[in-house]
């Protein structure tokens, strides 16, 4: 839970570096919370025709900036600019490339984005 809260504390911080654990625990908690909210939306009947409920949509909006921030910091940790996140616009291949980069280990030593986070 500390990894999740740490990302939320850095709400709109796009500088620095984020370790793999910080990024992936944030993703894990987002998936779990989204599933729980989808079930609650289903029970309450607040889900729309598209399958996205009101609670899920509000949560997605609330974590949009922290998600972008931690993603940019994760790319910085691998030595890449945050602008590479736009690669996700390309269907399938862009997402796979970003997945590969987020799985990679940190670039050892300090880089242009900050000191070694380990």
């Amino acid at each position: 839970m500390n990894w999740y809260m740490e990302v939320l504390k850095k709400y709109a911080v796009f500088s620095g570096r984020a370790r793999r654990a910080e990024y992936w625990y944030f993703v894990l908690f987002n998936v779990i919370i989204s599933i729980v909210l989808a079930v609650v939306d289903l029970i309450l009947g607040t889900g729309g025709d598209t399958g996205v409920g009101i609670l899920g949509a509000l949560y997605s909006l609330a974590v949009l900036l922290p998600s972008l921030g931690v993603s940019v910091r994760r790319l910085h940790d691998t030595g890449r600019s945050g602008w590479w996140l736009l690669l996700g616009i390309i269907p399938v291949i862009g997402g796979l490339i970003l997945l590969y980069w987020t799985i990679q280990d940190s670039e050892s030593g300090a880089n242009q984005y900050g000191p070694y986070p380990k």
Side-chain angles (χ1 to χ4, degrees):
M1 191 70 174
N2 288 336
W3 293 107
Y4 183 78
M5 296 307 294
E6 189 65 31
V7 171
L8 292 181
K9 287 178 187 175
K10 298 177 184 176
Y11 191 78
V13 176
F14 296 94
S15 60
R17 296 167 71 168
R19 295 176 57 191
R20 273 189 298 193
E22 179 180 354
Y23 177 80
W24 286 110
Y25 279 121
F26 183 74
V27 169
L28 175 67
F29 278 101
N30 273 337
V31 168
I32 292 169
I33 292 170
S34 296
I35 290 170
V36 169
L37 289 176
V39 170
V40 171
D41 274 331
L42 184 65
I43 291 170
L44 295 177
T46 56
D49 294 335
T50 61
V52 178
I54 293 172
L55 296 176
L58 289 175
Y59 178 74
S60 295
L61 284 174
V63 296
L64 177 65
L65 282 178
S67 297
L68 289 174
V70 76
S71 297
V72 167
R73 290 193 311 272
R74 180 69 198 125
L75 287 173
H76 286 175
D77 194 43
T78 61
R80 293 173 181 82
S81 169
W83 288 104
W84 280 108
L85 196 57
L86 293 174
L87 195 61
I89 294 171
I90 300 170
V92 181
I93 294 182
L96 289 174
I97 293 170
L98 287 173
L99 175 66
Y100 175 72
W101 286 344
T102 57
I103 290 172
Q104 285 184 327
D105 196 11
S106 302
E107 189 176 68
S108 60
N111 66 14
Q112 64 186 5
Y113 302 107
Y116 190 53
K118 292 183 182 177

